[in-house]
Amino acid sequence: MDMRRIVAVLAEEADRQLRDQLWELAPGERALAHEAEAGLRKVVGPLDAQEALPQIERLERLRETLAVLAISLARTHGRLAWFLSGAINALEPVLRWRALPADHGGTFGTVLASPDEYTEAEEAVRQLQDGLARIAAG
């Protein structure tokens, strides 16, 4: 399953739980979801803007999205934490990517990602942005 599909499943479940009133958001959860969404939007922009960046900067920004999600996860519990944990898990392949050639020596198990993989990860982040915005709106 690709990153976009995993994020879509997470967002569908969050939407269903909110719609069915299984998840009652506290004001702090709404604020944290909004803060995480804004953090992700600050880091990963529209497709054309992202594709214009050098690969090393695209990777840097994708790693920063994981930091935004991890910091948000550390500040909550319950369903929002579970959602954020799933989001981090979906983007986990980014942690094994590198943008620099190996030259001589090992790469600690990292791989060069393709342009399509960068695009997929960035699209997954945009889906997360939208999902978090819906969660924040409750």
Side-chain angles (χ1 to χ4, degrees), residues 4 72 101 119:
R4 292 170 297 207
S72 299
T119 300

Side-chain angles (χ1 to χ4, degrees), residues 35-125:
E35 186 178 316
E37 179 261 335
L40 294 180
R41 286 197 194 279
K42 181 179 173 184
V43 178
V44 172
L47 177 65
D48 58 340
Q50 289 302 122
E51 288 183 340
L53 297 172
Q55 214 169 37
I56 195 164
E57 190 170 337
R58 289 176 81 179
L59 180 55
E60 186 177 292
R61 288 171 177 237
L62 286 167
R63 288 178 178 159
E64 192 170 339
T65 65
L66 287 163
V68 168
L69 293 168
I71 290 168
S72 299
L73 174 61
R75 296 174 49 208
T76 193
H77 58 276
R79 294 182 194 278
L80 183 55
W82 304 337
F83 177 85
L84 293 169
S85 177
I88 291 167
N89 187 56
L91 293 172
E92 182 271 336
V94 170
L95 296 173
R96 293 188 309 273
W97 294 355
R98 62 183 164 82
L100 300 174
D103 293 332
H104 306 289
T107 64
F108 301 97
T110 60
V111 297
L112 293 170
S114 71
D116 288 342
E117 288 172 309
Y118 279 95
T119 300
E120 176 191 334
E122 291 159 350
E123 287 173 359
V125 171

Side-chain angles (χ1 to χ4, degrees), residues 8-18 23 79:
V9 169
L10 287 170
E12 288 167 12
E13 183 175 352
D15 290 343
R16 182 185 51 77
Q17 287 186 21
L18 289 167
W23 184 2
R79 294 182 194 278

Side-chain angles (χ1 to χ4, degrees), residues 1-9 90-91 93 120 123-124 127:
M1 193 177 306
D2 74 17
M3 290 180 240
R4 292 170 297 207
R5 183 68 195 132
I6 295 168
V7 170
V9 169
L91 293 172
E120 176 191 334
E123 287 173 359
Q127 288 175 288

